[in-house]
Amino acid sequence: MADHQEATVTLPSAPASVSAARRHVMDVLVTWGLPNGTDLADTIRLILSELATNAVQHTRGQSPTFTVELRLDREERLRVGVTDSHPRHPRRLPAAVQQDSGRGMAIVRALTAEYGGRVVVTPTADGGKTVWITLPWTVSVR
């Protein structure tokens, strides 16, 4: 196996693209050896859903597309990034009991931490940002 594998897809910032991003990510991860239906697969699917939804809903039309990147390094670390061209970084909002939305990043951070990973937001050269999650990868890569 190569020391590094990558996959990328760029999609329009539209609600239907969230499910397309999920399918793409799961197809790639299954190809890399992660069985579909496992707790880790379901967690990555939920994290990706939250990040892609944020890229569609919170860019307010200022990002016509978003990009999902997957990077697998030396069979030990998986990185998933969602990039959009909106300059505003995700904000931490209080998770009020009556709140119907705005908890996506809290969910992403909690799930990522539960698996021993981390969340980082990095600026892009065009003024946007990428939200990266990094998770340990213990799956045998195909």
Side-chain angles (χ1 to χ4, degrees), residues 31-108:
T31 300
W32 289 350
L34 180 65
N36 207 351
T38 63
D39 286 345
L40 180 57
D42 292 344
T43 297
I44 294 169
R45 184 180 292 111
L46 178 55
I47 289 170
L48 188 276
S49 290
E50 291 294 338
L51 295 179
T53 298
N54 284 351
V56 170
Q57 288 184 346
H58 299 295
T59 59
R60 299 197 165 104
Q62 293 185 23
S63 184
T65 62
F66 68 95
T67 300
V68 178
E69 296 176 67
L70 295 119
R71 298 179 184 174
L72 184 58
D73 297 319
R74 299 175 199 233
E75 298 186 33
E76 61 188 39
R77 179 178 68 165
L78 173 69
R79 295 183 75 205
V80 179
V82 176
T83 302
D84 64 60
S85 56
H86 193 283
R88 188 181 69 207
H89 286 218
R91 294 178 297 181
R92 289 185 188 211
L93 301 175
V97 175
Q98 301 298 321
Q99 192 171 337
D100 290 334
S101 65
R103 291 179 280 191
M105 285 307 296
I107 292 168
V108 167

